[in-house]
């Protein structure tokens, strides 16, 4: 039997434009300017992290350099420095741990925490404490958005609704009303392929998704994960099943001269 919390129990912290914000914190000349972090400096490369200033021009993660320049000619491109980002992640992790215990680092720029009974009543105070600690320890240009909700999925969604530097609290009684302001692609776990499956099943908005039964969602997902997703979306206390699989990614876009099998193979080995 799944338990349905009567109050907020999870805090999700999502750092804003993390790679770009780190570069702006470390390089004062980049502050308040549109910045695009590239995996490597090349006209054939793509942006893996735009700053908030670049996003105002419509720059998005995954855009090619040529397209980005057409939107924002004044953007400053910088190469990714993953060793630096990992070091900052570790410092950030320690800083947050001094305020609240972290259950899991979901990625280099996202963590989820379980709220103690006294913390559930003082969400805004806790958020301020974390922000102040990060600003004093790490620096004011590396900011985050926070979402408080009954479970991890809803807390992540809450954090993403008011970026950057948002602080959103979704109490159990706010669900599903808050969800109906979103679209299907806004929901973690609904990518292009899953959205296509939902559309085929006649599900085109959050209201229709919410109205599905556990059996129907399990059938569309093709596994037990559909049923787990239903419980998460409906505010039950359910977390992802831990796995032992670990990986890391490092994007590459091959330059034209490298788009032949032998050179592509060497790049893949690297």
């Amino acid at each position: 039997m799944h338990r349905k919390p009567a109050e907020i129990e999870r805090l999700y912290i999502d750092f804003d434009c993390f790679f770009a914000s780190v570069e702006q914190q470390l390089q004062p000349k980049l502050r308040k300017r549109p910045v695009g972090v590239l995996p490597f400096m090349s006209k054939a490369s793509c942006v893996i992290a735009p700053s908030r200033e670049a996003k105002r021009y419509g720059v998005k993660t995954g855009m090619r350099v040529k397209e980005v320049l057409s939107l924002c000619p004044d953007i400053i491109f910088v190469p990714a420095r993953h060793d630096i980002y990992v070091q900052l992640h570790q410092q950030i992790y320690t800083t947050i741990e001094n305020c609240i215990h972290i259950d899991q680092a979901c990625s280099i720029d996202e963590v989820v925490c379980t709220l103690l009974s006294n913390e559930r009543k003082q969400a805004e105070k806790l958020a301020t404490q974390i922000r102040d600690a990060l600003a004093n320890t790490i620096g004011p240009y590396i900011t985050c958005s926070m979402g408080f909700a009954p479970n991890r999925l809803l807390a992540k969604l809450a954090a993403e609704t008011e970026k950057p530097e948002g602080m959103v609290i979704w109490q159990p009684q706010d669900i599903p009303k808050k969800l109906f302001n979103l679209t299907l692609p806004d929901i973690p776990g609904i990518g292009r392929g899953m959205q296509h499956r939902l559309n085929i099943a006649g599900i085109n908005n959050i209201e229709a998704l919410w109205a599905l039964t556990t059996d129907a969602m399990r059938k569309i997902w093709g596994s037990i994960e559909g049923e787990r997703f239903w419980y998460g979306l409906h505010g039950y206390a359910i977390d992802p099943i831990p796995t032992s699989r670990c990986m890391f990614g490092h994007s590459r876009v091959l330059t034209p001269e490298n788009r032949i099998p032998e050179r592509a193979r060497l790049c893949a080995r690297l």
Side-chain angles (χ1 to χ4, degrees):
M1 180 67 68
H2 294 292
R3 179 178 61 86
K4 197 167 189 178
E7 55 188 342
I8 57 174
E9 292 189 359
R10 293 290 187 274
L11 162 62
Y12 205 97
I13 305 176
D14 186 352
F15 283 82
D16 307 313
C17 313
F18 184 61
F19 294 168
S21 295
V22 169
E23 295 297 343
Q24 289 178 319
Q25 177 64 47
L26 299 179
Q27 302 187 64
K29 65 180 181 181
L30 300 179
R31 296 173 185 175
K32 299 183 179 180
R33 308 213 27 207
V35 175
V37 179
L38 305 180
F40 62 99
M41 298 299 287
S42 167
K43 292 182 179 179
S45 189
C46 63
V47 172
I48 59 173
S51 68
R52 67 188 68 185
E53 295 84 1
K55 286 184 174 181
R56 296 189 190 115
Y57 288 87
V59 179
K60 298 179 180 179
T61 300
M63 278 188 174
R64 296 289 183 88
V65 167
K66 184 177 180 180
E67 184 180 4
V68 170
L69 288 172
S70 69
L71 295 172
C72 183
D74 295 329
I75 193 168
I76 302 172
F77 292 119
V78 296
R81 298 188 290 171
H82 292 285
D83 54 338
I84 299 295
Y85 307 150
V86 170
Q87 291 175 20
L88 262 295
H89 163 80
Q90 292 168 344
Q91 293 178 36
I92 287 169
Y93 196 104
T94 300
T95 301
I96 296 174
E97 271 280 350
N98 289 332
C99 301
I100 182 174
H101 174 64
I102 296 174
D103 289 340
Q104 182 184 7
C106 306
S107 68
I108 197 169
D109 60 347
E110 298 178 54
V111 300
V112 63
C113 312
T114 296
L115 300 170
L116 300 176
S117 57
N118 62 314
E119 293 168 338
R120 298 169 191 173
K121 307 297 183 184
Q122 304 181 65
E124 293 185 16
K125 181 179 179 180
L126 176 61
T128 299
Q129 180 186 356
I130 294 171
R131 287 194 199 284
D132 290 346
L134 289 168
N136 293 331
T137 305
I138 311 299
Y141 286 88
I142 301 177
T143 62
C144 62
S145 297
M146 302 185 201
F148 294 85
N151 63 30
R152 169 177 164 164
L153 173 62
L154 295 177
K156 178 176 174 62
L157 280 169
E160 292 178 348
T161 58
E162 292 188 15
K163 291 179 70 71
E165 298 186 73
M167 199 287 290
V168 178
I169 301 173
W170 284 1
Q171 296 289 351
Q173 59 267 28
D174 296 326
I175 309 301
K177 184 178 178 180
K178 295 291 187 180
L179 295 173
F180 293 164
N181 296 323
L182 307 177
T183 64
L184 291 176
D186 292 329
I187 309 295
I190 300 183
R192 190 174 301 174
M194 184 54 66
Q195 186 178 0
H196 180 65
R197 286 195 207 178
L198 288 166
N199 293 160
I200 290 175
I203 310 301
N204 299 298
N205 53 51
I206 300 297
E207 289 90 337
L209 181 69
W210 177 267
L212 287 173
T213 64
T214 54
D215 288 342
M217 201 168 284
R218 183 170 183 166
K219 183 177 180 180
I220 293 171
W221 258 253
S223 72
I224 187 64
E225 284 305 311
E227 185 174 335
R228 290 178 59 82
F229 185 85
W230 187 95
Y231 281 107
L233 197 66
H234 283 250
Y236 286 82
I238 184 167
D239 289 316
I241 298 173
T243 65
S244 59
R245 180 179 298 177
C246 297
M247 65 175 292
F248 65 91
H250 196 164
S251 303
R252 284 286 185 269
V253 178
L254 295 179
T255 54
E257 63 272 17
N258 286 316
R259 293 173 192 169
I260 58 176
E262 179 57 26
R263 291 184 179 178
R265 184 185 69 82
L266 292 173
C267 185
R269 283 192 63 193
L270 174 63

